[in-house]
Amino acid sequence: MSTSSVKLATPQGYQALSPKTLCIYLETTPIAHRLGGTSSQWSASEVGDGNLNLVFIVEGPKGSVVVKQALPYVRMVGESWPLPLARAHFEHLALVEQGKHAPQRVPAIYHYDAPMALTVMEYLTPHIILRKGLIAGERYPHMAAHVGEFLAHSLFFTSDFYLDPVSKREKIALYLTNTAMCKISEDLIFDEPYFDAELNRHTSPQLDDIALEFRKDTVLKLAVQELKYKFMNNAESLLHGDLHTGSVMVTEDDTRAIDPEFAFYGPMGFDVGAFIANLLMAYFSKDKNDDYALWILEQTQILWQSFSTEFSSLWAARKGGEIFNPRLYDDAPDLKEAALQLRLDTIFGDALGFAGCKIIRRILGLAHVDDFESIEDADKRAACERRALLFARRLILERKNFKTMQDVLKAAQ
C-alpha cells in the first residue's frame, strides 16, 4: 500500500472534532433532545481503538449516543496515508440498507452529517467488542447464530435472488465509487503479504522462513490472485466488507455488526469467509486442546449452520429475483433444491478461500489482530501464527476438497 505526503482536501465546514468541540456541535443537531439538558451537562470521551476513525461516547442526563467521525487519513499510519472522507457516506448507506434486512443486528442510526463525515448512532451497552471477549475467554451462546442470520439476510436481500435487475444495478451503482476502501482490501489482503511490502510486519525472526516461503509460492499466489479476481468482479451482494470479530459487538443475548465503511458489491463468500477467518484465528491463538478453543470451533460450525439454514429459508420463500426465476421450476421441480445447493456450495468454497487470505494478511501483512498480538512470548505467538498460516494455505489451495464445515474443523485440529 503506497502512501503520500499530500493530505486529501476536506469539504468546507469539515473539522476533526474533540470531546469538547463535539458537544458544542451536537447542540445544533436533532441529537440534543436525546441527550437532554445542555452541552455543559454532557460528557464526551474518545474511545476509538481502530485503525481509521474517531469514535466518541457522549452521555447526557437523558441518554447516550455514539458518534463516529472519519478522518482524512489512516489513523494508525498518520497524514502520510490520505483516505477519502466519503467512506463515512458508504458506511451510512450500508447501515441503513442492513437495517432494512437485519434490524436487530446493526445499531440504529440517529443522524448523519455528510460534510462532517459524521454519524450518530445507538450506544450499544453493555456490549463489548467480540474480539476482546474471545481473548478473555468469554462465551456468547447466541453470537454465531446471530452473525449467521445477519449474513444470510444482508446478502440474500441485496442479491439477484431477491432483487429485480434494475434495482440491483441501481444499488451496485451507489457503491461504485468506494474505490479507496476496496483498494485497501485489494492491496492488504491479496497482494502485499506475498511480496516484501514496506509496511508488512511479522513475528521475526521466528516467521522469517515461512514469510519468505509464501512469497516464493507460485501455486499459492496463483490461487490468491484468482480469489482477488472474484473479489473485484463478482458483484453478487452488498458486503459489509470488513466483518471481523473487532467489528461485532456482543452481550450474552445480543449481537450487532458495526463499521461497514468498506461496503461494496462483491462475492457473498467474502463476508462469510472473513468472519470464519477471525474465529479460526481466535482458535489458533489458544491451546488447541483447551476446552475454550474447542468451543470456538463449535461456534464456527454454528455460524455456517445458521447462515445456510436461514439462507435456505429465504430461498424457499422467495417470489422474485432474476436468477432461477420461480417459473423455471414448473417443469423441473427438482431444480429448486439443486439450485440452492449449488449456491451454498459456491459460497462455502469461496468463503474458505477468502478465510485463508484473511488469516495470512493478519499475520504477514500490515494490520494484525490482538488474538495473536496479546501473546507476549514471541516464540509461543509465532508457533500459534505458524499453525494458522499453514492451515490458511490449505484453505486456499484445498477449498474444493472440504465438503462440510466439519471437514474444515477436523483439519484445523
Side-chain angles (χ1 to χ4, degrees):
M1 171 62 66
S2 61
T3 61
S4 167
S5 60
V6 180
K7 188 175 179 179
L8 282 181
T10 56
Q12 184 174 3
Y14 174 86
Q15 66 173 113
L17 295 172
S18 66
K20 182 177 180 180
T21 57
L22 173 61
C23 289
I24 296 171
Y25 163 83
L26 288 176
E27 270 197 320
T28 66
T29 72
I31 298 305
H33 81 278
R34 285 189 173 274
L35 297 169
T38 64
S39 62
S40 62
Q41 299 171 279
W42 304 341
S43 65
S45 55
E46 208 279 312
V47 297
D49 62 355
N51 297 327
L52 302 179
N53 309 291
L54 297 171
V55 181
F56 303 88
I57 295 174
V58 185
E59 300 176 280
K62 187 178 175 182
S64 305
V65 297
V66 164
V67 179
K68 181 174 180 180
Q69 185 181 35
L71 292 168
Y73 52 84
V74 176
R75 182 176 183 174
M76 73 176 295
V77 175
E79 295 187 12
S80 64
W81 187 341
L83 198 62
L85 293 173
R87 67 187 187 275
H89 164 71
F90 298 111
E91 178 172 14
H92 174 250
L93 278 181
L95 283 169
V96 170
E97 183 72 25
Q98 292 163 352
K100 294 177 184 176
H101 310 305
Q104 302 304 311
R105 300 291 157 245
V106 293
I109 303 300
Y110 300 143
H111 177 68
Y112 173 64
D113 185 331
M116 288 290 283
L118 178 149
T119 303
V120 184
M121 65 189 83
E122 179 183 3
Y123 175 34
L124 299 173
T125 183
H127 299 65
I128 69 167
I129 295 293
L130 174 58
R131 175 170 285 126
K132 294 180 178 179
L134 295 178
I135 292 172
E138 299 292 334
R139 301 187 188 222
Y140 302 99
H142 306 292
M143 173 273 297
H146 285 171
V147 175
E149 170 197 321
F150 167 76
L151 285 166
H153 282 252
S154 61
L155 296 175
F156 179 86
F157 284 116
T158 58
S159 77
D160 290 299
F161 300 118
Y162 177 77
L163 296 171
D164 66 82
V166 173
S167 297
K168 168 77 180 301
R169 292 187 177 101
E170 288 175 345
K171 287 182 181 294
I172 291 174
L174 293 175
Y175 296 88
L176 282 178
T177 54
N178 199 12
T179 52
M181 305 307 282
C182 287
K183 178 63 173 169
I184 289 175
S185 294
E186 291 153 14
D187 288 351
L188 296 188
I189 298 172
F190 302 104
D191 287 355
E192 294 192 359
Y194 306 95
F195 66 87
D196 190 18
E198 178 185 358
L199 296 179
N200 282 356
R201 62 185 181 89
H202 59 260
T203 303
S204 182
Q206 291 88 342
L207 296 183
D208 288 357
D209 61 332
I210 196 168
L212 179 59
E213 180 184 325
F214 276 33
R215 294 203 299 269
K216 292 181 175 181
D217 193 332
T218 298
V219 175
L220 177 61
K221 286 185 172 183
L222 280 172
V224 170
Q225 290 302 295
E226 283 299 306
L227 287 161
K228 180 182 179 182
Y229 186 85
K230 283 178 178 280
F231 178 87
M232 296 177 70
N233 290 281
N234 291 13
E236 296 174 355
S237 292
L238 175 63
L239 303 187
H240 178 286
D242 195 29
L243 190 65
H244 52 74
T245 51
S247 58
V248 172
M249 298 194 70
V250 289
T251 66
E252 190 171 288
D253 301 312
D254 190 33
T255 311
R256 310 288 187 97
I258 61 172
D259 296 345
E261 59 199 324
F262 283 80
F264 79 111
Y265 264 74
M268 293 182 176
F270 183 78
D271 271 1
V272 180
F275 201 75
I276 288 172
N278 279 262
L279 290 178
L280 288 173
M281 285 188 284
Y283 165 73
F284 282 115
S285 72
K286 311 289 185 185
D287 183 327
K288 63 181 180 180
N289 297 315
D290 182 79
D291 179 64
Y292 186 70
L294 297 178
W295 177 84
I296 293 174
L297 284 189
E298 290 173 6
Q299 302 318 296
T300 313
Q301 173 66 39
I302 293 170
L303 168 76
W304 177 253
Q305 186 61 51
S306 171
F307 170 79
S308 56
T309 299
E310 195 68 23
F311 192 92
S312 298
S313 295
L314 297 173
W315 183 284
R318 77 189 189 102
K319 293 180 171 52
E322 180 66 10
I323 305 299
F324 291 113
N325 184 309
R327 293 189 63 183
L328 294 172
Y329 307 141
D330 292 348
D331 299 314
D334 57 337
L335 174 64
K336 187 172 187 178
E337 185 61 33
L340 170 61
Q341 191 58 54
L342 176 62
R343 176 49 35 193
L344 289 174
D345 289 346
T346 301
I347 295 171
F348 183 69
D350 287 352
L352 297 185
F354 288 125
C357 295
K358 281 282 197 173
I359 292 170
I360 292 170
R361 62 87 35 128
R362 290 295 191 178
I363 299 174
L364 299 182
L366 168 63
H368 291 209
V369 292
D370 284 343
D371 307 72
F372 295 127
E373 297 288 281
S374 61
I375 303 173
E376 294 184 6
D377 184 311
D379 289 335
K380 183 178 179 181
R381 179 173 67 250
C384 294
E385 292 173 326
R386 185 179 294 272
R387 287 173 56 220
L389 285 170
L390 292 172
F391 188 63
R393 187 180 187 276
R394 283 193 66 186
L395 287 178
I396 294 170
L397 297 182
E398 302 175 27
R399 61 187 185 274
K400 294 180 181 178
N401 297 335
F402 293 108
K403 302 305 179 185
T404 69
M405 185 58 76
Q406 282 293 343
D407 294 340
V408 174
L409 304 184
K410 189 178 296 184
Q413 290 178 271

